[in-house]
Amino acid sequence: VIARNEVTKQSLKNIEIASLTLAMTEYLRVQLGFTVIARDKIMKINIMTSIIVCFTYSLIFAEDVKNSNLSLEEAIKIALANNIQVLTAEKEVQAASGRKLQMSAIPDIELEGEWVGIPSGKFLNDGEEGKIGLFQSFEFPGKRGLRSNIGSLKEEIAKRNLEKTKLLVIANVKKTYYEILLLQKILANIEANIELLKQFFEIANIKFKAGNIVYVEVIRAKVELSRIKNELAEAKREFMFKKRSLNLFLDKNADEPIILTSDISYVPFNK
């Protein structure tokens, strides 16, 4: 219910857009000289405009609700695709692969040319002597292989670090997702208990007025009702904090509304 209320708040801007559309329609109708139309025709135009605006708003609201739905699998997929830690680790793997190729490569062949005795303002073929040479460096045996192994190890370390980062992100997303589901159930139970305590408080008042119980019972019911309302406020704060945390894991706006569609399921442990 709380998540749906947030979706409704998020869609209030769309209502404003729809209202502006209706106002603009009225303005154009007046400016184009349609004020001379009979009253029944004007009413038909207003009705059709209202229908169009309502239909447009319903489509926008439905799209907002659809985009807000989030299953656990979708949350993990989005987190792995957008989380900054995962993206950084993937860049490190690419960089390590490039360094590995560079470290295992044979030194480049060098081309060198030299000319002497070229008169001022003349070309190379006017010189007294010229030479062109190719140079190839030869490393100490085993040095390039050792360097290539080091590059491969660094690439493997980067890959393992990427796997570790993904597992940590998945674990954090699952933990936060299930905590939100648990808080939703806790909130529902607290709200149900508040309704019961309100009924108990009313019954206690009636019995006290009838002289069947002492006033201490009324005070106790009132204190218990206040205590559980405080629990509700604390649970709501924790609920909002966990939702913001999940949005940050998904690289979304912290206050973006989401509706969790997965549920807490019991998986038996098999030895």
Side-chain angles (χ1 to χ4, degrees), residues 7-29:
V7 173
T8 304
K9 292 178 181 178
Q10 185 70 19
S11 301
L12 288 177
K13 294 182 179 178
N14 297 328
I15 298 177
E16 295 177 0
I17 295 174
S19 300
L20 290 174
T21 303
L22 180 58
M24 186 176 293
T25 303
E26 290 292 328
Y27 174 79
L28 292 176
R29 181 168 57 81

PDB file of all heavy atoms in Angstrom, residues 7-29:
ATOM      1  N   VAL A   7       3.836   5.624  -5.782  1.00  0.00           N
ATOM      2  CA  VAL A   7       3.638   5.693  -7.230  1.00  0.00           C
ATOM      3  C   VAL A   7       2.618   6.764  -7.577  1.00  0.00           C
ATOM      4  O   VAL A   7       2.756   7.517  -8.541  1.00  0.00           O
ATOM      5  CB  VAL A   7       3.182   4.319  -7.767  1.00  0.00           C
ATOM      6  CG1 VAL A   7       2.800   4.424  -9.238  1.00  0.00           C
ATOM      7  CG2 VAL A   7       4.294   3.310  -7.604  1.00  0.00           C
ATOM      8  N   THR A   8       1.554   6.860  -6.741  1.00  0.00           N
ATOM      9  CA  THR A   8       0.537   7.889  -6.982  1.00  0.00           C
ATOM     10  C   THR A   8       1.126   9.284  -6.839  1.00  0.00           C
ATOM     11  O   THR A   8       0.851  10.170  -7.649  1.00  0.00           O
ATOM     12  CB  THR A   8      -0.617   7.704  -5.983  1.00  0.00           C
ATOM     13  OG1 THR A   8      -1.136   6.369  -6.111  1.00  0.00           O
ATOM     14  CG2 THR A   8      -1.731   8.692  -6.280  1.00  0.00           C
ATOM     15  N   LYS A   9       1.960   9.495  -5.812  1.00  0.00           N
ATOM     16  CA  LYS A   9       2.607  10.802  -5.653  1.00  0.00           C
ATOM     17  C   LYS A   9       3.492  11.114  -6.839  1.00  0.00           C
ATOM     18  O   LYS A   9       3.554  12.243  -7.306  1.00  0.00           O
ATOM     19  CB  LYS A   9       3.426  10.807  -4.362  1.00  0.00           C
ATOM     20  CG  LYS A   9       2.584  10.741  -3.099  1.00  0.00           C
ATOM     21  CD  LYS A   9       3.477  10.707  -1.873  1.00  0.00           C
ATOM     22  CE  LYS A   9       2.642  10.607  -0.606  1.00  0.00           C
ATOM     23  NZ  LYS A   9       3.503  10.536   0.606  1.00  0.00           N
ATOM     24  N   GLN A  10       4.216  10.089  -7.317  1.00  0.00           N
ATOM     25  CA  GLN A  10       5.102  10.304  -8.455  1.00  0.00           C
ATOM     26  C   GLN A  10       4.328  10.687  -9.697  1.00  0.00           C
ATOM     27  O   GLN A  10       4.825  11.374 -10.585  1.00  0.00           O
ATOM     28  CB  GLN A  10       5.912   9.010  -8.722  1.00  0.00           C
ATOM     29  CG  GLN A  10       6.964   9.128  -9.814  1.00  0.00           C
ATOM     30  CD  GLN A  10       8.101   9.999  -9.376  1.00  0.00           C
ATOM     31  OE1 GLN A  10       8.297  10.231  -8.203  1.00  0.00           O
ATOM     32  NE2 GLN A  10       8.850  10.498 -10.332  1.00  0.00           N
ATOM     33  N   SER A  11       3.061  10.257  -9.790  1.00  0.00           N
ATOM     34  CA  SER A  11       2.263  10.518 -10.992  1.00  0.00           C
ATOM     35  C   SER A  11       1.455  11.802 -10.900  1.00  0.00           C
ATOM     36  O   SER A  11       0.713  12.130 -11.829  1.00  0.00           O
ATOM     37  CB  SER A  11       1.305   9.341 -11.228  1.00  0.00           C
ATOM     38  OG  SER A  11       2.031   8.159 -11.380  1.00  0.00           O
ATOM     39  N   LEU A  12       1.555  12.543  -9.795  1.00  0.00           N
ATOM     40  CA  LEU A  12       0.801  13.794  -9.677  1.00  0.00           C
ATOM     41  C   LEU A  12       1.242  14.800 -10.729  1.00  0.00           C
ATOM     42  O   LEU A  12       0.448  15.616 -11.206  1.00  0.00           O
ATOM     43  CB  LEU A  12       0.990  14.385  -8.271  1.00  0.00           C
ATOM     44  CG  LEU A  12       0.280  13.633  -7.138  1.00  0.00           C
ATOM     45  CD1 LEU A  12       0.601  14.262  -5.807  1.00  0.00           C
ATOM     46  CD2 LEU A  12      -1.223  13.622  -7.382  1.00  0.00           C
ATOM     47  N   LYS A  13       2.517  14.748 -11.095  1.00  0.00           N
ATOM     48  CA  LYS A  13       2.987  15.647 -12.150  1.00  0.00           C
ATOM     49  C   LYS A  13       2.258  15.369 -13.457  1.00  0.00           C
ATOM     50  O   LYS A  13       1.987  16.279 -14.242  1.00  0.00           O
ATOM     51  CB  LYS A  13       4.492  15.489 -12.330  1.00  0.00           C
ATOM     52  CG  LYS A  13       5.295  15.943 -11.128  1.00  0.00           C
ATOM     53  CD  LYS A  13       6.778  15.796 -11.384  1.00  0.00           C
ATOM     54  CE  LYS A  13       7.585  16.278 -10.194  1.00  0.00           C
ATOM     55  NZ  LYS A  13       9.027  16.106 -10.412  1.00  0.00           N
ATOM     56  N   ASN A  14       1.974  14.078 -13.703  1.00  0.00           N
ATOM     57  CA  ASN A  14       1.251  13.730 -14.929  1.00  0.00           C
ATOM     58  C   ASN A  14      -0.170  14.300 -14.912  1.00  0.00           C
ATOM     59  O   ASN A  14      -0.728  14.652 -15.953  1.00  0.00           O
ATOM     60  CB  ASN A  14       1.208  12.210 -15.100  1.00  0.00           C
ATOM     61  CG  ASN A  14       2.583  11.631 -15.267  1.00  0.00           C
ATOM     62  OD1 ASN A  14       3.458  12.286 -15.822  1.00  0.00           O
ATOM     63  ND2 ASN A  14       2.799  10.415 -14.785  1.00  0.00           N
ATOM     64  N   ILE A  15      -0.761  14.397 -13.714  1.00  0.00           N
ATOM     65  CA  ILE A  15      -2.092  14.990 -13.613  1.00  0.00           C
ATOM     66  C   ILE A  15      -2.032  16.464 -13.982  1.00  0.00           C
ATOM     67  O   ILE A  15      -2.911  16.998 -14.662  1.00  0.00           O
ATOM     68  CB  ILE A  15      -2.646  14.807 -12.187  1.00  0.00           C
ATOM     69  CG1 ILE A  15      -2.782  13.316 -11.867  1.00  0.00           C
ATOM     70  CG2 ILE A  15      -3.979  15.515 -12.033  1.00  0.00           C
ATOM     71  CD1 ILE A  15      -3.246  13.050 -10.459  1.00  0.00           C
ATOM     72  N   GLU A  16      -0.965  17.133 -13.540  1.00  0.00           N
ATOM     73  CA  GLU A  16      -0.803  18.547 -13.871  1.00  0.00           C
ATOM     74  C   GLU A  16      -0.677  18.737 -15.387  1.00  0.00           C
ATOM     75  O   GLU A  16      -1.224  19.668 -15.971  1.00  0.00           O
ATOM     76  CB  GLU A  16       0.421  19.116 -13.170  1.00  0.00           C
ATOM     77  CG  GLU A  16       0.291  19.124 -11.660  1.00  0.00           C
ATOM     78  CD  GLU A  16       1.554  19.637 -10.985  1.00  0.00           C
ATOM     79  OE1 GLU A  16       2.492  19.975 -11.718  1.00  0.00           O
ATOM     80  OE2 GLU A  16       1.569  19.709  -9.754  1.00  0.00           O
ATOM     81  N   ILE A  17       0.064  17.824 -16.036  1.00  0.00           N
ATOM     82  CA  ILE A  17       0.202  17.896 -17.489  1.00  0.00           C
ATOM     83  C   ILE A  17      -1.158  17.723 -18.162  1.00  0.00           C
ATOM     84  O   ILE A  17      -1.507  18.433 -19.114  1.00  0.00           O
ATOM     85  CB  ILE A  17       1.194  16.825 -17.982  1.00  0.00           C
ATOM     86  CG1 ILE A  17       2.599  17.136 -17.432  1.00  0.00           C
ATOM     87  CG2 ILE A  17       1.225  16.762 -19.503  1.00  0.00           C
ATOM     88  CD1 ILE A  17       3.603  16.069 -17.739  1.00  0.00           C
ATOM     89  N   ALA A  18      -1.953  16.770 -17.657  1.00  0.00           N
ATOM     90  CA  ALA A  18      -3.279  16.556 -18.222  1.00  0.00           C
ATOM     91  C   ALA A  18      -4.161  17.785 -18.037  1.00  0.00           C
ATOM     92  O   ALA A  18      -4.925  18.164 -18.934  1.00  0.00           O
ATOM     93  CB  ALA A  18      -3.924  15.330 -17.571  1.00  0.00           C
ATOM     94  N   SER A  19      -4.051  18.435 -16.882  1.00  0.00           N
ATOM     95  CA  SER A  19      -4.842  19.650 -16.637  1.00  0.00           C
ATOM     96  C   SER A  19      -4.435  20.767 -17.590  1.00  0.00           C
ATOM     97  O   SER A  19      -5.277  21.499 -18.111  1.00  0.00           O
ATOM     98  CB  SER A  19      -4.648  20.096 -15.183  1.00  0.00           C
ATOM     99  OG  SER A  19      -5.080  19.089 -14.300  1.00  0.00           O
ATOM    100  N   LEU A  20      -3.126  20.892 -17.816  1.00  0.00           N
ATOM    101  CA  LEU A  20      -2.655  21.902 -18.764  1.00  0.00           C
ATOM    102  C   LEU A  20      -3.163  21.611 -20.172  1.00  0.00           C
ATOM    103  O   LEU A  20      -3.487  22.524 -20.930  1.00  0.00           O
ATOM    104  CB  LEU A  20      -1.130  21.954 -18.752  1.00  0.00           C
ATOM    105  CG  LEU A  20      -0.483  22.546 -17.484  1.00  0.00           C
ATOM    106  CD1 LEU A  20       1.024  22.409 -17.557  1.00  0.00           C
ATOM    107  CD2 LEU A  20      -0.876  24.011 -17.342  1.00  0.00           C
ATOM    108  N   THR A  21      -3.236  20.329 -20.512  1.00  0.00           N
ATOM    109  CA  THR A  21      -3.759  19.960 -21.832  1.00  0.00           C
ATOM    110  C   THR A  21      -5.214  20.386 -21.983  1.00  0.00           C
ATOM    111  O   THR A  21      -5.630  20.930 -23.015  1.00  0.00           O
ATOM    112  CB  THR A  21      -3.647  18.443 -22.034  1.00  0.00           C
ATOM    113  OG1 THR A  21      -2.288  18.061 -21.863  1.00  0.00           O
ATOM    114  CG2 THR A  21      -4.098  18.048 -23.427  1.00  0.00           C
ATOM    115  N   LEU A  22      -6.006  20.165 -20.939  1.00  0.00           N
ATOM    116  CA  LEU A  22      -7.413  20.571 -20.975  1.00  0.00           C
ATOM    117  C   LEU A  22      -7.539  22.090 -21.086  1.00  0.00           C
ATOM    118  O   LEU A  22      -8.338  22.612 -21.859  1.00  0.00           O
ATOM    119  CB  LEU A  22      -8.119  20.069 -19.710  1.00  0.00           C
ATOM    120  CG  LEU A  22      -9.620  20.420 -19.583  1.00  0.00           C
ATOM    121  CD1 LEU A  22     -10.381  19.861 -20.771  1.00  0.00           C
ATOM    122  CD2 LEU A  22     -10.168  19.896 -18.281  1.00  0.00           C
ATOM    123  N   ALA A  23      -6.719  22.829 -20.310  1.00  0.00           N
ATOM    124  CA  ALA A  23      -6.770  24.290 -20.358  1.00  0.00           C
ATOM    125  C   ALA A  23      -6.374  24.811 -21.740  1.00  0.00           C
ATOM    126  O   ALA A  23      -6.975  25.749 -22.267  1.00  0.00           O
ATOM    127  CB  ALA A  23      -5.849  24.871 -19.287  1.00  0.00           C
ATOM    128  N   MET A  24      -5.364  24.179 -22.338  1.00  0.00           N
ATOM    129  CA  MET A  24      -4.928  24.608 -23.667  1.00  0.00           C
ATOM    130  C   MET A  24      -6.020  24.351 -24.707  1.00  0.00           C
ATOM    131  O   MET A  24      -6.230  25.144 -25.632  1.00  0.00           O
ATOM    132  CB  MET A  24      -3.645  23.862 -24.050  1.00  0.00           C
ATOM    133  CG  MET A  24      -3.013  24.334 -25.351  1.00  0.00           C
ATOM    134  SD  MET A  24      -1.460  23.498 -25.679  1.00  0.00           S
ATOM    135  CE  MET A  24      -0.480  24.146 -24.340  1.00  0.00           C
ATOM    136  N   THR A  25      -6.720  23.231 -24.545  1.00  0.00           N
ATOM    137  CA  THR A  25      -7.816  22.937 -25.473  1.00  0.00           C
ATOM    138  C   THR A  25      -8.899  23.999 -25.401  1.00  0.00           C
ATOM    139  O   THR A  25      -9.426  24.467 -26.420  1.00  0.00           O
ATOM    140  CB  THR A  25      -8.408  21.552 -25.148  1.00  0.00           C
ATOM    141  OG1 THR A  25      -7.363  20.584 -25.210  1.00  0.00           O
ATOM    142  CG2 THR A  25      -9.480  21.182 -26.156  1.00  0.00           C
ATOM    143  N   GLU A  26      -9.260  24.406 -24.172  1.00  0.00           N
ATOM    144  CA  GLU A  26     -10.256  25.454 -24.000  1.00  0.00           C
ATOM    145  C   GLU A  26      -9.787  26.775 -24.624  1.00  0.00           C
ATOM    146  O   GLU A  26     -10.552  27.491 -25.276  1.00  0.00           O
ATOM    147  CB  GLU A  26     -10.540  25.650 -22.501  1.00  0.00           C
ATOM    148  CG  GLU A  26     -11.292  24.490 -21.858  1.00  0.00           C
ATOM    149  CD  GLU A  26     -12.724  24.397 -22.379  1.00  0.00           C
ATOM    150  OE1 GLU A  26     -13.319  25.438 -22.703  1.00  0.00           O
ATOM    151  OE2 GLU A  26     -13.237  23.271 -22.492  1.00  0.00           O
ATOM    152  N   TYR A  27      -8.502  27.079 -24.415  1.00  0.00           N
ATOM    153  CA  TYR A  27      -7.957  28.339 -24.955  1.00  0.00           C
ATOM    154  C   TYR A  27      -8.020  28.355 -26.473  1.00  0.00           C
ATOM    155  O   TYR A  27      -8.443  29.328 -27.104  1.00  0.00           O
ATOM    156  CB  TYR A  27      -6.524  28.513 -24.474  1.00  0.00           C
ATOM    157  CG  TYR A  27      -5.809  29.710 -25.079  1.00  0.00           C
ATOM    158  CD1 TYR A  27      -6.040  30.984 -24.588  1.00  0.00           C
ATOM    159  CD2 TYR A  27      -4.937  29.551 -26.151  1.00  0.00           C
ATOM    160  CE1 TYR A  27      -5.401  32.086 -25.149  1.00  0.00           C
ATOM    161  CE2 TYR A  27      -4.295  30.644 -26.714  1.00  0.00           C
ATOM    162  CZ  TYR A  27      -4.527  31.905 -26.209  1.00  0.00           C
ATOM    163  OH  TYR A  27      -3.895  32.980 -26.773  1.00  0.00           O
ATOM    164  N   LEU A  28      -7.619  27.255 -27.096  1.00  0.00           N
ATOM    165  CA  LEU A  28      -7.647  27.191 -28.558  1.00  0.00           C
ATOM    166  C   LEU A  28      -9.069  27.260 -29.089  1.00  0.00           C
ATOM    167  O   LEU A  28      -9.338  27.876 -30.133  1.00  0.00           O
ATOM    168  CB  LEU A  28      -6.966  25.898 -29.029  1.00  0.00           C
ATOM    169  CG  LEU A  28      -5.447  25.825 -28.795  1.00  0.00           C
ATOM    170  CD1 LEU A  28      -4.934  24.451 -29.209  1.00  0.00           C
ATOM    171  CD2 LEU A  28      -4.741  26.917 -29.593  1.00  0.00           C
ATOM    172  N   ARG A  29      -9.986  26.634 -28.356  1.00  0.00           N
ATOM    173  CA  ARG A  29     -11.373  26.645 -28.807  1.00  0.00           C
ATOM    174  C   ARG A  29     -11.925  28.066 -28.814  1.00  0.00           C
ATOM    175  O   ARG A  29     -12.626  28.480 -29.738  1.00  0.00           O
ATOM    176  CB  ARG A  29     -12.221  25.744 -27.887  1.00  0.00           C
ATOM    177  CG  ARG A  29     -13.685  25.661 -28.291  1.00  0.00           C
ATOM    178  CD  ARG A  29     -14.365  24.532 -27.530  1.00  0.00           C
ATOM    179  NE  ARG A  29     -14.241  24.696 -26.112  1.00  0.00           N
ATOM    180  CZ  ARG A  29     -15.018  25.506 -25.390  1.00  0.00           C
ATOM    181  NH1 ARG A  29     -15.935  26.245 -25.980  1.00  0.00           N
ATOM    182  NH2 ARG A  29     -14.861  25.594 -24.087  1.00  0.00           N
TER     183      ARG A  29
END
